[in-house]
Amino acid sequence: MKASKLFLGIGLVCTSVVVLGACGNSNSQSKGAAVVEDLPEARFEADKDTPSWQKDTDHEATLKWYVNFDWYAQPGWGKDTVTRKIKEDMNINVEFISGNDENLNTMLAGGDLPDIMTFDKNLSAANEATKFALPLNLLAEKYDPYFLEHAAKPESVQWFTLEDGNIYGYPSFSTTAQDYEDGNVVGDQVFIVRKDIYEALGEPDMSTPEGFLDALKRAKEAFPTADDCAALVPFASTALDISNGGDGAYGGTLQDFLSIAPSVDGQFNDRDADEEYIRWIETFRKAYNEGYITNDQFSDNDNTMKEKLGQGRYFAYLHTNTKGLNEFMSDNNARNPEQTYIAVDGPKNSNGDDSTFTGGNIGGWTQTFITTSTKEPQKAMELLTYLASEYGTMVTTFGIEGETYNLGDGVVEYSEETEALRNSDIAVLTRKLG
């Protein structure tokens, strides 16, 4: 089974639903392809069935890895279980650098680049990859054929191969048809409520507009303030990004909860025009008019809203990404375990159909590039292979077998210590495990 994730320490997952043919080759040669031709030969004979990092442990290297997200922070290489294991396996150190689009553009304009770069595939810089990145397929042929043979997903490689026949950036969250067939895709959209309030209200059915509005009304009346004396907000959802056209959870996520199919009989379905969707948008408008949704929904950024969640200030919350809430729900549990958040049935359509959540697609989210500036092209390629492989995925996801988890009959079971920490304080677990 192809590995489904490539992690930056604890972070960005790299892996791919339809499969399209690769574009035809071009006669022009990119800067990166020309650079590869002049790179040193491999330090040993590379083997397509053995990852090169297993043979290259005598060579120590330090790589700089730029991640184009201000919020991406690492405690330091080797300070958590995962990066200590990678360092031990590969004899490698990684210095992570985080930044924003301005930092990225400045680096690209100046030409002084780190060894590895990761940024959103939709940025214009991704279209200029032939100018600053080394072709991964050519690096793999020279240094680590295991990457293309066993680690990378063929469909994802094919999708991101350019007209010159090369792939320059490997994707994160790239979900293939095979991933769906293997059952490796799960939805992570969530509707959560504060357990103490929900139970005090008699565990109301909030899956209908009427039940939803009634529960918000009663929550506001019975629990006017949170523990910090701030007003309790009956309902909120993923932060909006109005200036960039973002709709938070009020678009596709809500439509998933209502089980509105993206296509019908193979034809595009305009989910925005669906009567069930409009009915629930009208429900949210009523909730806003009654003061159950506050103006902060339209001004707070994502971190501010999550911090408020960590203070137990919301009764109900609709979110696009469960994992993005883990740390803040953990903070709330540590603050007051009686006010833990639990998942319940969210909005449903008039038939009461079970929600149908969309998974990822082959386009994914970010792309990771090895730059023409790297002084360690072989180690950089080996690291990409390591993280994209099934072995690397197990390390970055679960830690060390026999220490943080055990594997029996193909099922992972965390150690007692890890499981206890996972259930009590996932934020601490994330920092400790990586």
Side-chain angles (χ1 to χ4, degrees):
M1 181 180 70
K2 294 293 182 184
S4 61
K5 299 179 180 179
L6 164 64
F7 282 79
L8 313 185
I10 66 167
L12 309 177
V13 191
C14 295
T15 62
S16 293
V17 187
V18 285
V19 179
L20 300 184
C23 299
N25 290 328
S26 170
N27 291 327
S28 61
Q29 186 182 46
S30 70
K31 174 184 176 182
V35 170
V36 171
E37 291 182 356
D38 295 330
L39 292 177
E41 294 301 314
R43 287 182 278 273
F44 45 81
E45 185 175 352
D47 179 358
K48 67 181 179 65
D49 293 320
T50 304
S52 289
W53 63 264
Q54 293 184 357
K55 300 181 178 182
D56 200 23
T57 55
D58 290 338
H59 181 78
E60 183 180 7
T62 297
L63 300 175
K64 289 187 177 182
W65 191 331
Y66 174 78
V67 182
N68 195 52
F69 299 103
D70 284 333
W71 48 260
Y72 188 78
Q74 290 296 307
W77 190 256
K79 294 185 180 294
D80 57 72
T81 301
V82 166
T83 58
R84 279 199 305 272
K85 178 61 175 172
I86 299 174
K87 182 176 182 178
E88 175 188 321
D89 282 344
M90 295 190 63
N91 194 15
I92 194 172
N93 290 288
V94 177
E95 177 187 346
F96 283 108
I97 308 163
S98 60
N100 54 32
D101 292 353
E102 183 178 352
N103 301 129
L104 174 64
N105 292 333
T106 298
M107 282 193 298
L108 291 174
D112 184 16
L113 305 178
D115 300 278
I116 304 174
M117 303 179 75
T118 294
F119 51 82
D120 192 309
K121 73 177 190 303
N122 293 316
L123 292 182
S124 59
N127 297 324
E128 303 294 321
T130 58
K131 298 178 181 178
F132 68 83
L134 300 174
L136 299 180
N137 53 302
L138 299 183
L139 282 179
E141 290 172 8
K142 181 183 286 280
Y143 296 124
D144 203 355
Y146 186 92
F147 175 75
L148 293 174
E149 189 71 22
H150 298 288
K153 294 182 178 184
E155 299 96 328
S156 299
V157 170
Q158 189 176 25
W159 180 269
F160 283 94
T161 294
L162 303 185
E163 290 185 358
D164 65 357
N166 298 319
I167 175 173
Y168 293 84
Y170 195 67
S172 71
F173 291 102
S174 181
T175 309
T176 67
Q178 191 63 50
D179 289 322
Y180 280 90
E181 292 173 11
D182 291 340
N184 291 333
V185 182
V186 295
D188 60 359
Q189 303 88 330
V190 69
F191 181 76
I192 56 176
V193 294
R194 224 179 74 181
K195 184 174 182 287
D196 61 322
I197 300 177
Y198 183 67
E199 292 181 344
L201 299 180
E203 302 184 0
D205 179 3
M206 301 180 68
S207 66
T208 67
E210 299 77 18
F212 176 80
L213 290 172
D214 180 66
L216 300 187
K217 176 178 182 293
R218 292 194 289 135
K220 183 176 182 180
E221 293 171 348
F223 297 84
T225 60
D227 283 355
D228 61 358
C229 296
L232 182 86
V233 179
F235 179 76
S237 70
T238 305
L240 300 172
D241 186 11
I242 297 174
S243 61
N244 292 313
D247 54 19
Y250 291 109
T253 295
L254 174 60
Q255 292 161 353
D256 286 349
F257 271 91
L258 302 178
S259 197
I260 302 172
S263 62
V264 177
D265 297 328
Q267 300 297 315
F268 169 75
N269 181 33
D270 185 1
R271 301 208 291 177
D272 291 349
D274 190 280
E275 292 182 1
E276 297 287 349
Y277 176 61
I278 295 173
R279 176 167 163 259
W280 269 94
I281 289 295
E282 176 67 13
T283 300
F284 290 127
R285 184 191 66 77
K286 291 178 180 177
Y288 172 75
N289 288 345
E290 294 296 327
Y292 309 147
I293 299 174
T294 69
N295 286 331
D296 289 345
Q297 174 70 77
F298 306 98
S299 59
D300 283 350
N301 62 32
D302 200 45
N303 277 338
T304 299
M305 297 192 71
K306 289 175 178 178
E307 287 169 359
K308 290 180 179 180
L309 185 81
Q311 294 298 318
R313 293 189 191 179
Y314 301 122
F315 163 49
Y317 203 87
L318 180 69
H319 198 62
T320 55
N321 175 7
T322 310
K323 293 184 290 295
L325 296 179
N326 281 344
E327 178 181 348
F328 302 91
M329 289 192 290
S330 178
D331 290 343
N332 184 64
N333 290 348
R335 180 190 61 81
N336 189 335
E338 300 298 320
Q339 296 181 3
T340 187
Y341 283 94
I342 60 172
V344 299
D345 284 344
K348 291 187 176 182
N349 60 36
S350 299
N351 295 326
D353 295 331
D354 289 338
S355 300
T356 304
F357 300 113
T358 53
N361 58 56
I362 201 166
W365 175 27
T366 67
Q367 282 185 279
T368 294
F369 306 87
I370 297 175
T371 74
T372 54
S373 298
T374 182
K375 301 298 190 295
E376 292 284 352
Q378 183 166 340
K379 276 292 190 182
M381 188 66 239
E382 290 169 2
L383 180 58
L384 204 65
T385 297
Y386 183 106
L387 296 172
S389 70
E390 184 172 341
Y391 172 83
T393 295
M394 293 298 292
V395 170
T396 55
T397 307
F398 301 111
I400 301 174
E401 186 173 4
E403 180 179 327
T404 59
Y405 78 94
N406 294 296
L407 192 61
D409 297 326
V411 177
V412 169
E413 291 186 2
Y414 281 118
S415 66
E416 290 185 7
E417 179 184 359
T418 304
E419 183 66 17
L421 190 56
R422 178 170 173 259
N423 290 324
S424 64
D425 198 334
I426 198 166
V428 172
L429 174 66
T430 298
R431 289 193 294 270
K432 180 179 179 180
L433 179 61

